[in-house]
Amino acid sequence: MNSNLNLVTAWNTLWTQLTAWAPGLGTFLAVVGMLVIVIFVGKWGWDKRRNSGGAGGFPVMAVIFGLLLAGPTIVIPVVLSILQVLFAIVVSAIGWFTSTIKS
């Protein structure tokens, strides 16, 4: 992986500076967000199991709300890690391609 590209560390530094005035805010938001997701998806699954399909649609808005709450602490670092790996793969592929063309 390209050691010059470290998106997660940059985000963590920014998030630490933003939450310095309220210690524990990020953890609180992450816990509440994950609880919202687990409760609503669990309730949907339980209703679906009991009603054999008559439970209504998937709770998309609750999941989006939970992800927004958990975003700064959990979701954004995961997405940045995935992007970092993808960027490293692209850079390696470009390096391999240019070295094969020169040969």
Side-chain angles (χ1 to χ4, degrees):
M1 191 173 332
N2 188 357
S3 61
N4 295 332
L5 181 67
N6 200 344
L7 300 174
V8 179
T9 302
W11 169 256
N12 288 338
T13 303
L14 175 65
W15 183 241
T16 301
Q17 293 299 317
L18 291 175
T19 58
W21 59 273
L25 177 66
T27 305
F28 175 74
L29 289 175
V31 169
V32 170
M34 294 313 291
L35 279 174
V36 166
I37 293 170
V38 168
I39 289 171
F40 279 93
V41 171
K43 182 185 177 318
W44 172 79
W46 182 258
D47 289 345
K48 193 100 170 143
R49 180 183 175 276
R50 289 187 40 190
N51 291 341
S52 343
F58 187 76
V60 176
M61 293 307 289
V63 171
I64 290 172
F65 179 68
L67 287 175
L68 285 174
L69 286 175
T73 306
I74 297 173
V75 178
I76 292 175
V78 169
V79 170
L80 289 176
S81 296
I82 293 169
L83 282 174
Q84 191 170 324
V85 168
L86 291 175
F87 288 153
I89 291 170
V90 168
V91 167
S92 297
I94 290 172
W96 174 81
F97 184 71
T98 55
S99 67
T100 4
I101 290 177
K102 290 180 183 178
S103 307

